[in-house]
């Protein structure tokens, strides 16, 4: 039996165990406060743009400095006031979440705002930028020290319109976390694991979880194949899904086909890694990780990166939908399936988490 009020039946400190508390265990509290701060700051910036201030991030600019956001291009006088109002409502909703005394229709309204804000800011407004930066992150780290080859510099990669979308994406994540915590609290669930007191979970059978996880992983793998196949075909001179002229243009552009091939290889490696969500080597470190072989893999080691990749895939897929042209389907068509990949990978990651989460350190439930 636990011998202090801050221990669970596992004998480990709960998330509220004073000095033993890790900073990330406080996410149900700090996420809503940061969401309010984000809304206040971005709302102030939107008001500044609405009044004619410089730096409106969705204005029409040169193609080299533009983004693929659904809001671009647009005029500040039309969109900025809406953004300012949207953020002002966010401040109000966040304050109501902090008070935790809202009930009835007002509670449902606050929840609706939170989920809409999280969805719009995380999935709808951003473009493929985060996905691209993730894929090229090893090269970007090198470029910080060596500089970008050729006439470009890091400013040609990280410009304001793209950086703004990352700020928007972070705001969306904060609103998702804040709303999830608020919903669990007001539903009487454990804020950390989502279990209801003395209520059996709907997803408790490991066999069922693994079966559905396997289906989700294979759907994710299948959704990567069109992108991988087309990029590899282009590298070997087959204009699959594109015109001969576009293939010739890529062949005449230094390193263009090599970059496409590298992205196809990265995508293939990603599809292989996804099998860790349903395989034994996703739970116990395999022999080829010799410094940790045989040790149990902490669920967060897989859940955090897989969940992040799942989230950033969806905006890229939705952006491809907007840019799709049947005559050159190979250019953006396979990228549309990134949205399917993201949803399937997100489902597989969640099922992996449910299967491996064990006893909650806060409520003590299994």
């Amino acid at each position: 039996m636990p011998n202090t009020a801050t221990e669970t039946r596992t004998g480990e400190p709960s998330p509220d165990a004073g000095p033993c508390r890790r900073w990330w265990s406080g996410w149900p509290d700090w996420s809503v406060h940061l969401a309010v701060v984000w809304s206040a700051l971005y709302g102030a910036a939107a008001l500044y743009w609405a009044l004619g201030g410089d730096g409106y991030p969705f204005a029409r600019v040169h193609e080299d400095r533009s983004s693929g956001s659904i809001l671009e291009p647009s005029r500040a006088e039309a969109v900025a006031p809406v953004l300012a109002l949207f953020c002002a409502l966010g401040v109000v909703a966040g304050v109501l979440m902090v008070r935790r005394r809202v009930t009835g229709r007002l509670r449902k309204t606050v929840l609706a705002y939170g989920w809409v804000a999280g969805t719009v800011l995380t999935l709808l407004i951003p473009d493929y930028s985060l996905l691209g930066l993730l894929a090229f992150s090893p090269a970007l780290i090198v470029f910080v020290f060596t500089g970008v080859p050729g006439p470009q510099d890091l400013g040609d990669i990280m410009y304001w319109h793209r950086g703004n979308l990352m700020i928007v994406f972070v705001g969306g994540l904060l609103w998702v976390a804040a709303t999830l915590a608020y919903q669990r609290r007001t539903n009487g669930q454990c804020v950390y694991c989502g279990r209801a007191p003395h209520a059996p979970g709907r997803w408790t059978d490991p066999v069922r979880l693994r079966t559905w996880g396997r289906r989700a992983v294979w759907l994710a793998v299948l959704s990567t194949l069109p992108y991988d196949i087309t990029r590899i075909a282009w590298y070997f001179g087959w204009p699959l899904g594109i015109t001969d002229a576009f293939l010739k243009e890529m062949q005449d552009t230094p390193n263009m086909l090599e970059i496409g091939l590298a992205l196809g290889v990265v995508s293939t490696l990603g599809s292989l890694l996804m099998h860790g969500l349903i395989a034994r080597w996703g739970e116990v470190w395999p022999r080829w990780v010799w410094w940790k072989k045989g040790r149990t893999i902490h669920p967060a080691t897989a859940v955090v990166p897989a969940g992040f990749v799942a989230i950033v895939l969806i905006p890229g897929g939705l952006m491809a939908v907007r840019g799709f042209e049947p005559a050159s389907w190979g250019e953006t068509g396979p990228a549309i399936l990134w949205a399917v990949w993201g949803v399937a990978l997100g489902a597989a990651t969640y099922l992996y988490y449910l299967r491996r989460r064990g006893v909650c350190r806060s409520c003590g439930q299994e």
Side-chain angles (χ1 to χ4, degrees):
M1 293 292 292
N3 55 16
T4 72
T6 58
E7 291 183 358
T8 67
R9 67 186 185 202
T10 63
E12 296 179 284
S14 77
D16 300 314
C20 294
R21 177 172 175 165
R22 305 272 178 87
W23 68 268
W24 59 80
S25 67
W27 69 266
D29 296 315
W30 56 250
S31 59
V32 65
H33 289 91
L34 288 181
V36 171
V37 171
W38 183 93
S39 296
L41 293 177
Y42 203 85
L47 183 60
Y48 170 73
W49 298 325
L51 296 175
D54 296 332
Y56 176 62
F58 301 109
R60 182 181 296 277
V61 292
H62 190 274
E63 184 178 356
D64 292 340
R65 288 291 187 273
S66 65
S67 75
S69 172
I70 196 172
L71 294 181
E72 187 177 335
S74 62
R75 300 186 335 186
E77 57 268 27
V79 174
V82 177
L83 289 175
L85 176 60
F86 179 78
C87 290
L89 293 175
V91 172
V92 174
V95 170
L96 291 174
M97 286 183 180
V98 172
R99 293 183 63 184
R100 304 179 191 174
R101 298 179 181 177
V102 181
T103 58
R105 291 183 179 178
L106 186 56
R107 171 186 171 275
K108 293 180 180 179
T109 302
V110 170
L111 284 172
Y113 175 87
W115 287 121
V116 169
T119 301
V120 170
L121 296 174
T122 305
L123 303 180
L124 298 184
I125 295 180
D127 63 1
Y128 71 103
S129 295
L130 273 168
L131 180 60
L133 291 174
L134 183 64
F136 286 106
S137 55
L140 292 176
I141 294 173
V142 174
F143 293 162
V144 169
F145 299 98
T146 65
V148 180
Q152 294 182 323
D153 56 31
L154 285 177
D156 296 312
I157 299 174
M158 287 299 300
Y159 42 83
W160 170 230
H161 280 222
R162 177 171 284 173
N164 168 70
L165 295 184
M166 296 180 189
I167 295 173
V168 169
F169 180 82
V170 170
L173 292 182
L174 290 173
W175 271 112
V176 168
T179 308
L180 178 62
Y182 177 74
Q183 178 172 293
R184 286 177 173 178
R185 279 196 177 103
T186 54
N187 281 343
Q189 299 169 278
C190 174
V191 73
Y192 293 97
C193 70
R195 297 179 177 98
H198 311 297
R202 295 175 58 191
W203 300 88
T204 56
D205 181 8
V207 175
R208 181 184 183 190
L209 291 172
R210 193 182 293 275
T211 298
W212 282 100
R214 187 176 294 111
R215 293 172 181 174
V217 166
W218 279 110
L219 176 60
V221 169
L222 291 175
S223 68
T224 70
L225 294 180
Y227 185 89
D228 302 345
I229 292 171
T230 52
R231 272 53 185 176
I232 294 172
W234 298 349
Y235 180 79
F236 289 103
W238 184 22
L240 180 61
I242 57 174
T243 63
D244 292 335
F246 184 57
L247 178 61
K248 182 65 168 59
E249 180 182 343
M250 288 194 293
Q251 290 172 335
D252 294 339
T253 303
N255 300 320
M256 181 64 72
L257 290 176
E258 287 76 9
I259 291 174
L261 177 63
L263 291 175
V265 170
V266 169
S267 175
T268 301
L269 292 176
S271 66
L272 293 175
L273 284 174
M274 285 188 294
H275 286 82
L277 298 173
I278 54 175
R280 175 66 176 168
W281 58 266
E283 301 177 19
V284 178
W285 289 105
R287 288 179 297 176
W288 40 271
V289 186
W290 68 91
W291 62 95
K292 286 191 174 183
K293 66 177 181 178
R295 298 182 185 178
T296 300
I297 297 176
H298 192 285
T301 304
V303 169
V304 172
F308 181 76
V309 171
I311 293 172
V312 301
L313 279 166
I314 296 174
L318 296 179
M319 177 185 131
V321 172
R322 300 193 296 272
F324 178 72
E325 295 181 4
S328 56
W329 62 265
E331 187 175 354
T332 57
I336 292 175
L337 294 177
W338 288 346
V340 178
W341 183 4
V343 172
L345 176 57
T349 304
Y350 182 59
L351 292 167
Y352 172 90
Y353 161 75
L354 290 177
R355 184 164 50 84
R356 299 207 55 222
R357 62 183 176 177
V359 178
C360 177
R361 294 186 178 186
S362 178
C363 68
Q365 296 187 80
E366 297 183 4

